[in-house]
Amino acid sequence: MQNLKTVILHNREIAPGYYRMAILAPGYPQTAKAGQFVMLRVQLQAQPLLRRPFGIFKTGTLPPECSGMPPREFVELVYKVVGSGTELMATLQRGDQVELLGPLGEGFVATEDENPILVGGGIGLVPLFKLAEDLCRQGRKVRLLMGGRTRDDILGITEFERLGVETYVSTDDGSLGEEGLVTAVLERKLAKYPGAQVYACGPTPMLNAVHAICATHSTPLQVSLEALMACGVGACLGCVVPGKEHREDEPDYLCTCRQGPVFDAELLQWPESGGAA
Amino acid sequence: MSQPTPSLAVELAGLALRNPVMPASGTFGYGQEFAPYLDLEKIGAVMTKGISLRPKAGNPTPRIAETSSGMLNAIGLQNVGIDAFIRDKVPYLQTLNTPVIVNFFGNQLHEYIEVAEKLSDIEAVDAVELNISCPNVKQGGIVFGTEPCAAAEVVSGVREKLNKPLIVKLTPNVTDITVMARAVEESGADVISCVNTLTGMAVDIEKQCLHLANGTGGLSGPAIKPVALRMVYQVVRAVSVPVIGIGGIMTAKDALEFLLVGATAVQVGTANLVNPGAMSEIVDGIEQFCRDKGIDDINQWIGSLQE
Ligand SMILES: Cc1cc2nc3c(=O)[nH]c(=O)nc-3n(C[C@H](O)[C@H](O)[C@H](O)COP(=O)(O)OP(=O)(O)OC[C@H]3O[C@@H](n4cnc5c(N)ncnc54)[C@H](O)[C@@H]3O)c2cc1C
Ligand SMILES: Cc1cc2nc3c(=O)[nH]c(=O)nc-3n(C[C@H](O)[C@H](O)[C@H](O)COP(=O)(O)O)c2cc1C
Ligand code: FES
């Protein structure tokens, strides 16, 4: 965990509205775990005031340049432009300064399961890449179910396939893969691999549906949640979600930035049990 | 030629601080959260999140919203309660070589007093900060912080049971803050800190809804600095106890402005959330400023505004 004043190595549009940004980040390849995130301070002035959280897509080391410079360690983010902070990020270029706090939070826990199933929607595919990398390296047979509204929301398919991941795509409008929700594919896969460890990251309605399916199949599920965050280090309590036992008179809030963003689904309160994750 | 290191030490009602910079309650967790990013022995004091008699759940989410140069929070004073605080948080605080100040609040008078009694017994707690900005639910929504009589009652009640310096934190959501400042001074406050957050609101024009689940929230950050500075200026002139300035302090320059109008110390809030190393940078900046200006004791700067 550190707060780095650092620079951007590259920042480019990879699909309409989606960008990929590499940032010089010494130490990240050794310390960052799949599912962890960073808080990025885009510019060192008051607007926008707060840092923005982003999942870690990749870490790596650039080979030394011919100048004989030392190898440069970096972290890569993939982000979607949605508001003022990400709009500003999209304008940044190589050499621009940013502040990077992290790696933060608790990531995915790779279980022993030989046939893990990853479920990702839109920008939720980002943290699953590093997880897929880890699982493939450990010799697991990884299946990734990718969902999105249209084909533009399906990110990095070739990169996942290059790792050896078996990918299944579904889009709401049928513009890529099968038409419909990613959860239909999940139902089929779970019928084939009962009890498989499922890892999911994506929009809340998707996570709710994934949880409902996993619960009926009694299969273990880890989810990566998004929450509005101010500090990312557990100080402001802005990012809490109700835990399983949460009741008004007996608070059991979980802090997404410190105890998450990846949670064992069993620890959370889900809509069908009266709460909202 | 290197100049001698200026002294930044200040004193608050008998409490000696190595420098005038401390966190604002609720933006620093219970201290330990920031240890990876900040040398806790570099700041003047550690200030904890507001504690109440019983654990408090806080408000539903969303609890935060960003606004122009500021943020709104409706955390709702979520905290572990005094007993868990003593059991789980105090052991760490005990190890620090920096004064520890505990912020606390209640819903009813007796709750304030019970927490004060418990805090009196804890050696690791060097001073307390009484937050009188929360609604008194039982008495139909009176706010201790906006009614001079209610404020006086709670301050004197707590003062009676407490054997440590008592800081009373004022809300800016009043017509005349000097009335409140005098009321708490007369009833036993050793130090006054001001200000807490300003009540505000944010709405979403796409979804046509309120941003915060609670509707309103407390505004903090650079957006409130001019208001806070004005109030600190007024309070310093209205009372004779030391004043701690709070509100939108992001840089050493901001801190120096509050000290210039007469604050003896400052609290840094939202800046910690944006940059966990903010207070360390502010301390360094104040020291550098003193060097540059040839000030060898920060007390020469405090209240030196030319009018
Ligand atoms: C742990 C974590 C990991 C994340 N990883 C990624 C990632 O890898 N790639 C990516 O593109 N985004 C990611 N996000 C979401 C990202 O943080 C937000 O999109 C970003 O903060 C929006 O900033 P903005 O200034 O552009 O938008 P704003 O102007 O602040 O808001 C614009 C819209 O985005 C929504 N929004 C703002 N913050 C969040 C948030 N934290 N989560 C969800 N919606 C939000 C707002 O409600 C609003 O509708 C992650 C969020 C979290 C909590
Ligand atoms: C997330 C958050 C939580 C807060 N919680 C408390 C609290 O528990 N007790 C309290 O007295 N003030 C609380 N405050 C108010 C701050 O201590 C401070 O008075 C206010 O934020 C103004 O300072 P700033 O502009 O530097 O943030 C909180 C503020 C924020 C932003
Ligand atoms: S974002 Fe501040 S506690 Fe999680």
Side-chain angles (χ1 to χ4, degrees):
Chain A
M1 268 188 299
Q2 47 180 339
N3 184 27
L4 287 174
K5 291 194 166 76
T6 181
V7 291
I8 290 173
L9 295 172
H10 69 72
N11 184 33
R12 55 174 192 267
E13 195 164 13
I14 52 167
Y18 289 97
Y19 286 74
R20 183 163 168 174
M21 177 187 276
I23 303 167
L24 199 64
Y28 271 66
Q30 301 81 15
T31 53
K33 297 190 195 72
Q36 285 192 301
F37 67 102
V38 297
M39 296 289 289
L40 188 72
R41 194 171 175 199
V42 183
Q43 64 176 14
L44 312 180
Q45 282 132 41
Q47 209 59 281
L49 180 66
L50 301 173
R51 290 181 193 233
R52 301 291 192 254
F54 295 97
I56 291 173
F57 174 62
K58 245 186 193 180
T59 55
T61 307
L62 289 178
E65 287 171 2
C66 22
S67 62
M69 268 168 53
R72 289 172 302 162
E73 295 173 330
F74 66 88
V75 61
E76 261 188 306
L77 315 176
V78 172
Y79 61 96
K80 182 181 183 177
V81 174
V82 297
S84 62
T86 44
E87 268 162 28
L88 191 65
M89 277 169 74
T91 67
L92 297 179
Q93 294 175 357
R94 181 187 173 85
D96 283 344
Q97 291 198 354
V98 288
E99 253 181 54
L100 192 69
L101 184 66
L104 298 167
E106 297 290 338
F108 291 103
V109 179
T111 62
E112 294 295 309
D113 184 26
E114 288 300 319
N115 291 293
I117 300 173
L118 278 48
V119 187
I123 208 72
L125 289 162
V126 175
L128 296 181
F129 185 78
K130 208 170 158 50
L131 175 66
E133 244 183 357
D134 291 353
L135 292 171
C136 287
R137 204 177 299 127
Q138 293 168 18
R140 313 284 167 79
K141 182 84 193 108
V142 180
R143 290 172 182 83
L144 169 66
L145 322 186
M146 310 170 93
R149 274 186 304 116
T150 81
R151 60 183 306 144
D152 290 341
D153 300 310
I154 304 297
L155 301 170
I157 197 165
T158 41
E159 276 189 88
F160 277 106
E161 284 177 349
R162 227 179 280 146
L163 291 175
V165 173
E166 219 173 87
T167 57
Y168 301 84
V169 176
S170 58
T171 49
D172 296 0
D173 63 358
S175 55
L176 195 69
E178 71 177 65
E179 184 175 333
L181 297 177
V182 72
T183 41
V185 192
L186 179 62
E187 285 275 16
R188 291 204 304 270
K189 290 292 153 207
L190 282 178
K192 206 163 160 199
Y193 302 102
Q197 171 72 53
V198 179
Y199 302 89
C201 183
T204 307
M206 187 194 105
L207 295 182
N208 287 340
V210 168
H211 172 260
I213 293 170
C214 290
T216 44
H217 288 261
S218 308
T219 197
L221 169 66
Q222 292 177 29
V223 290
S224 176
L225 298 186
E226 274 198 12
L228 289 171
M229 292 184 179
C231 69
V233 299
C236 70
L237 301 181
C239 67
V240 299
V241 289
K244 189 179 181 164
E245 307 290 330
H246 179 79
R247 291 207 324 265
E248 229 350 85
D249 50 346
E250 257 183 72
D252 171 29
Y253 274 123
L254 300 172
C255 192
T256 309
C257 71
R258 252 179 104 90
Q259 292 166 286
V262 179
F263 291 98
D264 188 332
E266 284 192 0
L267 297 176
L268 302 170
Q269 205 167 79
W270 293 92
E272 66 265 32
S273 54
Chain B
M1 200 181 70
S2 74
Q3 303 208 330
T5 307
S7 165
L8 300 188
V10 297
E11 199 205 289
L12 285 175
L15 187 66
L17 309 182
R18 62 171 73 87
N19 64 54
V21 181
M22 64 179 89
S25 175
T27 65
F28 202 64
Y30 299 99
Q32 201 164 5
E33 290 85 343
F34 280 75
Y37 310 102
L38 181 79
D39 177 1
L40 298 183
E41 298 193 356
K42 185 161 179 183
I43 55 180
V46 164
M47 170 77 71
T48 64
K49 169 136 204 71
I51 293 291
S52 50
L53 189 59
R54 313 224 174 283
K56 197 164 176 337
N59 289 323
T61 57
R63 296 174 162 190
I64 47 178
E66 195 180 73
T67 66
S68 312
S69 303
M71 67 176 275
L72 287 164
N73 90 79
I75 307 301
L77 298 167
Q78 181 186 339
N79 78 93
V80 298
I82 184 75
D83 294 331
F85 173 76
I86 294 171
R87 188 183 63 231
D88 303 333
K89 311 293 179 186
V90 168
Y92 175 76
L93 296 169
Q94 245 161 359
T95 65
L96 299 177
N97 182 26
T98 298
V100 171
I101 306 176
V102 174
N103 178 286
F104 75 107
F105 66 95
N107 284 325
Q108 299 165 30
L109 185 59
H110 78 88
E111 292 181 10
Y112 276 100
I113 292 170
E114 270 179 68
V115 182
E117 279 178 323
K118 292 191 184 221
L119 288 172
S120 276
D121 294 338
I122 309 170
E123 207 182 315
V125 175
D126 297 282
V128 300
E129 184 180 69
L130 174 62
N131 177 4
I132 51 167
S133 321
C134 28
N136 177 348
V137 181
K138 199 177 171 202
Q139 289 172 24
I142 296 172
V143 177
F144 282 115
T146 56
E147 295 276 332
C149 295
E153 191 183 10
V154 69
V155 173
S156 51
V158 165
R159 177 69 288 171
E160 240 174 69
K161 303 288 178 187
L162 192 80
N163 56 7
K164 303 173 192 287
L166 172 62
I167 305 168
V168 178
K169 182 166 173 179
L170 301 182
T171 168
N173 302 313
V174 292
T175 318
D176 184 352
I177 196 162
T178 62
V179 174
M180 295 304 300
R182 283 196 208 94
V184 302
E185 180 186 37
E186 278 161 23
S187 43
D190 301 311
V191 179
I192 291 174
S193 57
C194 60
V195 292
N196 211 311
T197 52
L198 278 118
T199 306
M201 181 184 266
V203 295
D204 184 331
I205 60 164
E206 294 301 329
K207 300 184 191 141
Q208 287 176 266
C209 65
L210 296 164
H211 260 302
L212 297 170
N214 194 45
T216 59
L219 182 64
S220 63
I224 72 166
K225 198 189 77 177
V227 177
L229 190 65
R230 180 264 292 178
M231 290 189 163
V232 170
Y233 173 90
Q234 289 179 313
V235 170
V236 163
R237 276 147 192 82
V239 297
S240 52
V241 294
V243 174
I244 303 174
I246 319 167
I249 296 173
M250 305 297 284
T251 63
K253 178 176 169 289
D254 298 329
L256 285 158
E257 291 175 17
F258 279 86
L259 298 174
L260 180 62
V261 304
T264 304
V266 293
Q267 290 180 10
V268 175
T270 303
N272 296 319
L273 307 180
V274 178
N275 173 13
M279 286 191 290
S280 174
E281 291 171 18
I282 290 172
V283 171
D284 288 341
I286 294 174
E287 189 176 305
Q288 190 57 46
F289 178 85
C290 289
R291 265 186 230 275
D292 294 346
K293 292 274 177 196
I295 299 165
D296 45 38
D297 183 342
I298 191 70
N299 290 290
Q300 296 161 7
W301 176 258
I302 290 170
S304 65
L305 187 73
Q306 305 291 314
E307 289 181 89

